[in-house]
Amino acid sequence: MRSRSPVRAGVIALAAVALLAACTGGSSGEGDSPAASGSPTRKALDLSGDPRAAAPLAFESKAAHVLPTGPKGFPPLTLYGRAAWLTHASGLTMYNLATGKAVTDIKTQNTPTYDLPAPGDLSKKQAEMIRSRVSFPVPVEIGGVQAVVAAVPVKLAKQGSGSAQAGFEVIAARADNGKPIWRLPVDIYGDPAGKLGALVVEPGDGVVSVTWTEDDYTTGSFAVSLDDKQPQMLWQRADFWTVAGYGDAVLGFREEPDEQYSVAGVAASSGRDLWVKGLPAGATWAVKSNDTPLAKLDDDSKQARLIEIATGDFVLSKQAGLTKGMSCLHGDGGTVLLCSSKQDGALAVDKTGKVLWRRAAGDGPGKWNATVEAEFKDRFYAKGKDGAFVVDGRTGRTVSADAGIVPDRVDAYAALVYTDKGTEVHLPSAPGVPR
């Protein structure tokens, strides 16, 4: 488990399931308020960034801004281009990384399930609760436009003589200017008795799948189409919990009629089972997502494996050196999956599971004694005994001996550091300029 940024995981133990950190079309509507910040007008604004931009090798030690994300922890915050996106109890907010100002604050059209203060005013207890019940925003493409999607628990308007129904509002917004594309209300079948939460949102080919919880217990999954005009819920299953996804497949746990569980692959667009692997009696298995075609699978042994999401095939055996204690990370736009821990060393593979390089744990030359804190493309930002440095995931070579800071999140335009006062924004250092 990473120490400074979230990891999505699913764990099966006997007859218990837990996920660890993992309708009709609505119009965009009114009520979205661009912040009065002196930033460029919405029409001229483009914060989508350049996908060709390189990963920075170092950042300024002094924060340029502090985003009001609440107490220290893991806020549901995503970097995308020149902006940071924050999901909160009442919707989705876009921040300009260059100014630190909110560009737009998209409110849910339905009444939020949780009546809370603004993120910057949350108590530690409130922040911990809501961060476990709203999804991280995820980058997607909708109608050829770069966008972000998030899911927020809401009270859906009652129909006829019925009562208000617990559900979700899935919000899609443009990545360049923060303008809402649509909001989709999703009714959870039956009458959920507990408080709902959106634990995992996994993007796929024209679809996102969402795992929901009731009172923090994993309960089911649904999928929504990413149509720019008429988004809709494609399927909903109370017997399947999505943990990882890639392309048109999602991987998770399926509840069996005898109250046992299996690991299963499901078609993201239809909810149809693609493959199933039964769990040995009494076994504890965990699946961890890393935004690649492969997911890490842990069992009761020290060794771990990589499983292909689409087929269920194991592509990295237990003899390859992957261990349960390693965290496997993949940067946005990258080609490498880096699995590492201070105790067990480091192992890098490509998206087919081919091993690119290994390092044994230790302090000597060619050894590994660091914790990877953030990743972007094929650059991995690690913390060692002498501070933060940057590793090239393709070769294992250190490409920057001093990253300037220990980041929690990174993209081409900024690094984020979570603090008790909010989230610090650190801009990249210019070559040759003292930090």
Side-chain angles (χ1 to χ4, degrees):
M1 184 72 69
R2 298 172 66 185
S3 61
R4 292 171 63 87
S5 55
V7 171
R8 295 188 298 270
V11 178
I12 284 287
L14 299 176
V17 179
L19 288 183
L20 313 177
C23 308
T24 56
S27 64
S28 61
E30 302 297 331
D32 303 313
S33 54
S37 62
S39 57
T41 63
R42 176 175 286 187
K43 182 178 180 181
L45 191 65
D46 185 354
L47 299 180
S48 57
D50 184 352
R52 300 166 298 178
L57 297 181
F59 299 91
E60 299 289 345
S61 58
K62 182 179 180 180
H65 320 288
V66 178
L67 306 181
T69 57
K72 188 174 182 178
F74 303 128
L77 189 67
T78 295
L79 284 171
Y80 195 9
R82 301 176 185 272
W85 293 82
L86 176 71
T87 313
H88 47 83
S90 57
L92 186 62
T93 300
M94 178 193 197
Y95 293 97
N96 186 333
L97 293 173
T99 66
K101 303 295 184 180
V103 176
T104 188
D105 187 24
I106 305 171
K107 303 292 187 183
T108 60
Q109 289 182 324
N110 293 278
T111 302
T113 297
Y114 304 101
D115 183 12
L116 293 174
D121 298 325
L122 294 173
S123 67
K124 183 177 180 180
K125 184 176 180 180
Q126 289 172 328
E128 289 175 349
M129 183 276 291
I130 196 60
R131 289 169 182 173
S132 69
R133 296 185 181 181
V134 298
S135 78
F136 277 73
V138 295
V140 296
E141 184 175 301
I142 299 177
V145 173
Q146 297 304 307
V148 296
V149 169
V152 178
V154 295
K155 302 172 185 176
L156 299 176
K158 66 179 182 179
Q159 303 293 324
S161 59
S163 59
Q165 172 71 35
F168 294 94
E169 193 164 300
V170 181
I171 301 172
R174 293 178 61 108
D176 55 356
N177 57 23
K179 184 177 180 180
I181 300 174
W182 43 255
R183 299 175 181 81
L184 180 71
V186 175
D187 182 3
I188 297 303
Y189 298 158
D191 186 13
K195 295 287 189 179
L196 292 181
L199 186 58
V200 173
V201 174
E202 285 289 347
D205 294 339
V207 61
V208 291
S209 57
V210 180
T211 296
W212 83 83
T213 62
E214 288 185 34
D215 292 336
D216 298 322
Y217 285 92
T218 310
T219 307
S221 297
F222 64 85
V224 169
S225 65
L226 296 177
D227 188 277
D228 59 338
K229 302 297 183 184
Q230 292 184 319
Q232 59 182 324
M233 187 175 70
L234 299 173
W235 54 269
Q236 184 175 144
R237 290 178 59 169
D239 67 337
F240 178 78
W241 302 271
T242 297
V243 180
Y246 193 84
D248 189 41
V250 291
L251 168 65
F253 291 107
R254 190 181 78 174
E255 184 177 8
E256 303 298 339
D258 59 0
E259 297 186 349
Q260 297 300 312
Y261 295 90
S262 298
V263 177
V266 166
S269 58
S270 67
R272 175 179 58 86
D273 287 344
L274 300 174
W275 55 266
V276 178
K277 289 183 182 295
L279 273 66
T284 300
W285 281 21
V287 174
K288 298 181 180 180
S289 169
N290 49 61
D291 303 317
T292 73
L294 311 176
K296 182 172 181 268
L297 190 145
D298 299 335
D299 57 23
D300 293 321
S301 67
K302 180 181 178 181
Q303 290 73 35
R305 291 173 285 184
L306 293 179
I307 186 171
E308 188 174 34
I309 294 173
T311 65
D313 295 335
F314 292 114
V315 298
L316 194 69
S317 71
K318 289 189 175 184
Q319 287 70 45
L322 183 64
T323 70
K324 184 183 296 187
M326 289 179 170
S327 293
C328 294
L329 308 173
H330 169 265
D332 291 340
T335 61
V336 176
L337 181 65
L338 176 58
C339 303
S340 66
S341 74
K342 283 186 176 182
Q343 295 75 26
D344 299 323
L347 172 73
V349 302
D350 65 15
K351 291 185 178 181
T352 69
K354 177 184 176 181
V355 177
L356 302 176
W357 54 270
R358 292 183 177 90
R359 284 195 199 174
D363 291 322
K367 302 293 186 178
W368 183 270
N369 185 18
T371 302
V372 177
E373 304 288 354
E375 65 284 337
F376 180 63
K377 294 191 172 179
D378 285 333
R379 297 289 190 257
F380 294 84
Y381 301 79
K383 180 182 179 182
K385 63 179 181 179
D386 296 322
F389 60 98
V390 186
V391 173
D392 182 342
R394 298 291 304 179
T395 64
R397 183 172 61 91
T398 297
V399 292
S400 175
D402 182 8
I405 61 168
V406 178
D408 287 301
R409 304 296 288 264
V410 169
D411 77 354
Y413 301 99
L416 304 182
V417 177
Y418 306 142
T419 76
D420 288 329
K421 296 181 180 180
T423 299
E424 293 181 348
V425 178
H426 293 257
L427 302 180
S429 297
V433 177
R435 290 189 291 276

